[in-house]
Amino acid sequence: MTPEELAAARERLEEFAAEMFAPLSRSDQRLKGQTYVRGLLLDGRRKSMQPMAERLGVDQQGLQQFVSSSTWAVEPVRERLARRTVAVIAPDAWVVDDTGFPKDGVASPGVARQYSGTLGKVGNCQIGVSICAVTDVASCPLNWRLFLPEGWDDDCAATPEAAAAIAARRARAGIPATARHHPKWRLALEMLDELAGWGLGPPVVVADAGYGNNADFRAGIPARGAHYVVAVDGDLTAHAAGAVPALRPYSGRGRRPRPRYRTRPLGLREHALAAGGHATVQLTWREGSRGPMTSHFLALRVRPAGRNPTARLAADGSLPAVWLLAEWPPAEPEPTDYWLSDLPEDTPPAELVRLAKIRWRIEHDYRELKTGLGLDHFEGRTWSGWHRHVTLVTAAQLFITLLRTSPKAAAPA
């Protein structure tokens, strides 16, 4: 936003900041929270401490202390932001995603050489996992977690010497003892649990194949009373919906046999190819800048298998039936993308496609979060600093969304 645009919206920003930062016990902290958000909103190439302080005409040390070493907790602020986001956006889905924060050094918490979709390769970076409320016209983060690789968890160390070195590294970054190496899909489930504790639940959970390929992640969604539409790889295996587990006769010795599928599960790609391209239908999921977004899709009912499906078996030994959605453009010899969904059997294929494709909004808005609001510009090296920065960026994103969805004030483009 230009200084003139920000000045025009100042009264609304003050009202918004007073509500979002009300959990902060001290008035100076609430004021600094508003000031930091103003700095994130103002136009400028870098949204790190020094350039923001110069543009705002405030003391850099005060901003630095507020984010890196002050005593306020992010959770009550995030709860208020999440509640307001859900009320404003009325999301069609919650999207689980992660993004990379490229780094030059090795001191920032969670930094390691690891794959980042942001970089498109392995690089030195942090990885933040988020859950965002999404529609086709807006999105905003609801919760965040910083991923800690094994090299940041002394419980994962191979030797006492390595454990001591990691513990010292954690202490320098201020990482709490409860923060450990958890896979990204588990961090996502933990965030869903935290959001549920705030009285918020997803209309449906959407995720890419990095999460969707994990059977424990998929099982964790219905276990929390929600549904999912997740991208998966075509080599995941499943039985046909009509496959029935059989029970072998009891020999009279040992344990009684349990019902089991006697047929070999096939890859999702094989299920789609068996149905054939003639079974696809043309569907449009949204209007793009160049016209309707349209492709051909196949929707089948299957029963995903996996390595250890025991916990998911019903009393009769059957696996739960879900939707297999495959995008199969006419010019392609086989499907190009696959999704699984446990939405009800009467869900229209067009709705499955719309939700499967809704992740585009996150990719679009991450660019704004990073280039416009400085999501990955934070230069601090503390655990609390990272979490406070992304929370304040979330506040800035929500405020812009409020302006864009309200006729009371002109919003930036």
Side-chain angles (χ1 to χ4, degrees), residues 229 231 271-273 275-286 292-300 323-332 334-340 348-358:
V229 180
H271 283 283
L273 291 175
H278 64 275
T280 64
V281 294
Q282 181 174 309
L283 295 169
T284 299
W285 59 92
R286 68 178 176 89
M293 305 289 287
T294 300
S295 187
H296 285 69
F297 296 88
L298 180 70
L300 305 172
W323 283 106
L324 163 60
L325 180 69
E327 182 175 358
W328 195 340
E332 299 295 334
E334 62 181 66
T336 56
D337 296 282
Y338 299 86
W339 296 265
L340 291 176
E351 177 67 0
L352 293 174
V353 171
R354 186 181 75 86
L355 291 169
K357 292 288 190 176
I358 207 167

Side-chain angles (χ1 to χ4, degrees), residues 199-220:
L200 301 174
V204 61
V205 175
V206 177
D208 65 18
Y211 298 87
N213 283 337
N214 189 286
D216 291 327
F217 174 75
R218 296 197 307 271

Side-chain angles (χ1 to χ4, degrees), residues 63-84:
L63 281 186
Q64 185 78 47
Q65 187 271 341
F66 169 69
V67 173
S68 297
S69 58
S70 189
T71 56
W72 61 281
V74 298
E75 290 80 9
V77 177
R78 282 189 188 169
E79 179 177 352
R80 289 199 169 219
L81 290 168
R83 289 177 181 274
R84 186 72 180 276

Side-chain angles (χ1 to χ4, degrees), residues 43-354:
D43 288 345
R45 185 174 181 182
R46 289 291 298 175
K47 301 297 176 74
S48 51
M49 295 291 181
Q50 181 178 350
M52 280 206 305
E54 290 176 354
R55 284 191 290 268
L56 292 166
V58 300
D59 176 45
Q60 176 188 343
Q61 186 175 357
L63 281 186
Q64 185 78 47
Q65 187 271 341
F66 169 69
V67 173
S68 297
S69 58
S70 189
T71 56
W72 61 281
V74 298
E75 290 80 9
V77 177
R78 282 189 188 169
E79 179 177 352
R80 289 199 169 219
L81 290 168
R83 289 177 181 274
R84 186 72 180 276
T85 294
V86 169
V88 170
I89 291 181
D92 295 325
W94 288 6
V95 175
V96 174
D97 205 352
D98 53 69
T99 188
F101 297 74
K103 293 291 178 182
D104 291 328
V106 297
S108 299
V111 71
R113 285 194 59 77
Q114 53 193 327
Y115 179 79
S116 164
T118 303
L119 300 172
K121 60 181 181 180
V122 173
N124 198 62
C125 62
Q126 298 167 305
I127 300 292
V129 182
S130 66
I131 294 181
C132 297
V134 182
T135 69
D136 274 329
V137 298
S139 76
C140 189
L142 298 172
N143 213 343
W144 288 95
R145 289 290 189 276
L146 180 60
F147 171 68
L148 287 179
E150 291 186 8
W152 281 89
D153 189 344
D154 46 311
D155 289 345
C156 300
T159 66
E161 294 77 15
I166 294 172
R169 192 184 189 197
R170 288 169 58 91
R172 287 192 296 271
I175 300 175
T178 53
R180 295 292 166 180
H181 167 68
H182 292 165
K184 299 180 187 75
W185 65 265
R186 183 173 164 186
L187 295 178
L189 295 180
E190 290 173 2
M191 284 191 283
L192 288 176
D193 290 338
E194 185 172 38
L195 287 160
W198 299 341
L200 301 174
V204 61
V205 175
V206 177
D208 65 18
Y211 298 87
N213 283 337
N214 189 286
D216 291 327
F217 174 75
R218 296 197 307 271
I221 305 302
R224 288 160 172 79
H227 292 290
Y228 62 79
V229 180
V230 294
V232 292
D233 292 340
D235 58 1
L236 261 64
T237 60
H239 297 279
V244 177
L247 184 64
R248 288 181 176 175
Y250 180 47
S251 65
R253 300 177 63 184
R255 294 181 179 179
R256 289 185 174 275
R258 301 178 64 180
R260 293 180 58 189
Y261 288 91
R262 302 304 170 187
T263 56
R264 180 179 66 87
L266 302 176
L268 301 181
R269 175 179 176 273
E270 294 176 81
H271 283 283
L273 291 175
H278 64 275
T280 64
V281 294
Q282 181 174 309
L283 295 169
T284 299
W285 59 92
R286 68 178 176 89
E287 285 289 327
S289 59
R290 299 181 180 178
M293 305 289 287
T294 300
S295 187
H296 285 69
F297 296 88
L298 180 70
L300 305 172
R301 299 289 287 177
V302 297
R303 299 180 184 273
R307 295 182 179 179
N308 185 25
T310 305
R312 295 174 281 132
L313 295 175
D316 65 354
S318 62
L319 290 157
V322 302
W323 283 106
L324 163 60
L325 180 69
E327 182 175 358
W328 195 340
E332 299 295 334
E334 62 181 66
T336 56
D337 296 282
Y338 299 86
W339 296 265
L340 291 176
S341 173
D342 71 338
L343 283 167
E345 190 171 356
D346 60 356
T347 303
E351 177 67 0
L352 293 174
V353 171
R354 186 181 75 86

